[in-house]
Every structure is written in structure tokens, then in C-alpha cells.
Amino acid sequence: MSRIGKQLIRIPSGVNIKLTEKNILVKGPKGEIERSIPSCLSVVEKEDNSLQVLRKNEDISSREMHGLFRSLVSNMVIGTSKGFTKILELKGVGYKANIDKKALNLALGFSHPVRIEAPPGIELSVENNTIIKINGIEKEKVGLIAQQIRSIKPPEPYKGKGILYKAEVIQLKVGKSSK
């Protein structure tokens, strides 16, 4: 049995769960998320304010989905109660960011500014012109937007300039040496 799949999902106060045969709806103070339940799994609500994901059979596809779906449901509960945050840092001379009507404007040394629209459910904020905070209730979307912003100007290995995740360490390469 999956070590992750068999763990119980604790439901914090303020989070409501509505289970049907095919869907799970999680409502919390930050918002609500709905996801369909795979046909090979079932979700059971326990009396001690927790959820358990169970397999209906023991074939390979249900064993593959067991731990994954338990993690997805756990992320739904955490997202609707606390939310998820990713922090990016701009490193480089003249690299700046600002917010303009829910859109992120980046000056990264290109001949033009880069504009990124925030998708629904995602909040973008900027601190000190160099720190970008991405907040949302869906972990997948928050990580995807952070990766898309980072891919515009990934850190280069010689000077370490670019867009980095907070506390990311870039191994700098030694440049060319003259004879």
C-alpha cells in the first residue's frame, strides 16, 4: 500500500468538504476548489474530521493514482485554508518589476518591457522592485506561473544574473582566464 496514500488528511476548522460519487469540493476562507475523483479511487470522510483516500481495486492504475490523488486533495485543503506562495528575486543591474492593474511589468535588459497578466485565482505583488510574490490557492497554478516568470530570464552561471527562486543558490562557473 502507498505510504503517502494511506495517510489521513486532517481538515482544519473553517474548511468544508462536499463529497459526491465523482467530485470533491473543498471550501475554505481563501476560496473553493473542485476536482473529479478517479473511478478507481474513493474518498471517505471520517468522524474525527479527516479524509481518507481508498482504492477500489488493486490494479496498477489505481495503485499509481492512490498517492498522487491523496497529495492533490491534501493540497486542496491546505490551499483553501492557508494558500500557497512562491517568491522570486531579480538579480542584475537595472532589473526591475512593478504591478500595473493586475499585470506584472518586468524590465530585464531587453529592448522592450515584458508584461505578464495574472491568471484568475493568482495574485502577483512586488516588494522593493526586485522581489515578486505569487499567491494563490492552487499549488499547481502558483508553481506554473513562477516557472513561467523565471523562464523569461533564467539565472546565468557566470554572474548569477536573472530571475531566481528565493534562497536558490547558483553555482557560478569560473570565467575564461588569460594566459
Side-chain angles (χ1 to χ4, degrees):
M1 184 161 219
S2 170
R3 280 184 268 171
I4 293 174
K6 68 182 178 182
Q7 294 175 0
L8 295 176
I9 301 167
R10 303 280 176 221
I11 303 170
S13 60
V15 175
N16 296 323
I17 307 242
K18 184 179 177 188
L19 287 171
T20 61
E21 187 66 29
K22 299 195 185 248
N23 290 328
I24 179 168
L25 176 71
V26 180
K27 286 185 182 179
K30 298 263 185 186
E32 65 180 53
I33 305 173
E34 186 172 11
R35 185 178 293 274
S36 62
I37 300 172
S39 61
C40 58
L41 300 175
S42 64
V43 180
V44 178
E45 192 165 3
K46 301 275 188 171
E47 63 275 349
D48 62 341
N49 214 15
S50 63
L51 291 175
Q52 187 173 21
V53 178
L54 301 172
R55 288 185 273 200
K56 291 182 179 175
N57 51 31
E58 291 296 319
D59 63 343
I60 292 175
S61 64
S62 64
R63 286 186 286 166
E64 290 172 346
M65 290 295 293
H66 191 206
L68 169 70
F69 192 72
R70 187 259 174 216
S71 294
L72 292 174
V73 173
S74 176
N75 287 340
M76 290 168 62
V77 171
I78 293 169
T80 55
S81 62
K82 299 177 190 169
F84 293 101
T85 302
K86 287 273 188 186
I87 300 174
L88 300 173
E89 296 179 62
L90 300 178
K91 287 201 176 173
V93 177
Y95 290 7
K96 290 187 270 185
N98 60 20
I99 295 289
D100 180 40
K101 296 181 187 174
K102 291 191 174 186
L104 180 67
N105 292 324
L106 298 170
L108 299 171
F110 297 129
S111 62
H112 58 283
V114 179
R115 184 175 170 88
I116 299 168
E117 296 287 334
I122 299 292
E123 276 183 40
L124 298 171
S125 62
V126 175
E127 294 177 3
N128 300 337
N129 291 334
T130 59
I131 296 175
I132 304 167
K133 286 191 175 182
I134 305 159
N135 297 314
I137 61 172
E138 293 186 54
K139 189 174 187 179
E140 299 168 59
K141 280 187 180 178
V142 170
L144 181 66
I145 295 300
Q147 181 272 327
Q148 287 174 348
I149 293 172
R150 185 180 185 271
S151 69
I152 294 168
K153 191 82 166 184
E156 54 100 2
Y158 293 101
K159 292 183 182 176
K161 294 173 21 174
I163 303 174
L164 293 82
Y165 290 110
K166 184 169 175 96
E168 180 181 8
V169 178
I170 301 296
Q171 292 286 64
L172 296 180
K173 293 182 179 179
V174 179
K176 243 185 203 179
S177 61
S178 62
K179 290 186 178 185

